[in-house]
Amino acid sequence: MIISDVVYEALKSLENVYQSTYQKDLDVTYVVFNEVAEYPEFYSDGSVEGTGHDLELHILGKVETDVHHYKDEIKSKLISAGFDWKGNANEFIQEIEYFHIQLNFYYLEENEEL
């Protein structure tokens, strides 16, 4: 499984979603995401349950209400797709006059049973 495919599928109804691409020249609200870590998840008996994926999504835009609308939509769509929301941070980036929200998610890719 490629985790970016799961993210793209969950967010397919949103415009301007990119993987690991900073689009500072855009005058629209957009999302960039990347996988921060991938690691084995273990059952209590030491066997591998699956693969854990930590993701960051960054929403950037010039209109604060649009950025917050995207945040709400992303949270809802990714949670429905099986992601766990781990929190977010908000800021205004003065240098480029963009509102920025960083969302953190976790996804467990379970091992398929043979």
Side-chain angles (χ1 to χ4, degrees), residues 1-3 6 35 38-41 43 48-53 82-83 106-112:
M1 177 192 77
I2 300 172
I3 193 67
V6 179
E35 182 174 28
E38 176 182 87
Y39 46 87
E41 289 286 2
Y43 287 114
V48 176
E49 174 184 7
T51 303
H53 300 271
F83 288 80
Y106 169 81
Y107 185 83
L108 176 62
E109 175 188 353
E110 296 184 24
N111 283 350
E112 293 184 24

Side-chain angles (χ1 to χ4, degrees), residues 86-102:
K86 304 305 262 183
N88 58 276
N90 302 349
E91 70 175 327
F92 180 73
I93 305 171
Q94 189 68 38
E95 298 81 22
I96 60 174
E97 297 182 357
Y98 266 46
F99 293 93
H100 171 238
I101 298 176
Q102 176 184 321

Side-chain angles (χ1 to χ4, degrees), residues 6-112:
V6 179
V7 174
Y8 279 126
E9 179 63 25
L11 301 180
K12 66 184 174 188
S13 66
L14 295 176
E15 296 180 3
N16 303 312
V17 177
Y18 307 97
Q19 183 177 3
S20 301
T21 306
Y22 180 59
Q23 303 284 334
K24 131 178 174 178
D25 59 331
L26 291 179
D27 286 332
V28 297
T29 299
Y30 66 95
V31 178
V32 293
F33 70 91
N34 62 301
E35 182 174 28
V36 178
E38 176 182 87
Y39 46 87
E41 289 286 2
F42 296 96
Y43 287 114
S44 60
D45 68 359
S47 63
V48 176
E49 174 184 7
T51 303
H53 300 271
D54 289 333
L55 299 169
E56 283 184 1
L57 289 95
H58 300 271
I59 308 163
L60 293 117
K62 294 193 176 268
V63 180
E64 186 175 19
T65 54
D66 292 348
V67 172
H68 283 277
H69 173 74
Y70 262 64
K71 176 192 74 169
D72 295 340
E73 287 288 316
I74 289 168
K75 281 174 58 178
S76 174
K77 291 176 184 308
L78 289 182
I79 289 169
S80 292
F83 288 80
D84 294 322
W85 175 60
K86 304 305 262 183
N88 58 276
N90 302 349
E91 70 175 327
F92 180 73
I93 305 171
Q94 189 68 38
E95 298 81 22
I96 60 174
E97 297 182 357
Y98 266 46
F99 293 93
H100 171 238
I101 298 176
Q102 176 184 321
L103 293 156
N104 298 304
F105 286 90
Y106 169 81
Y107 185 83
L108 176 62
E109 175 188 353
E110 296 184 24
N111 283 350
E112 293 184 24

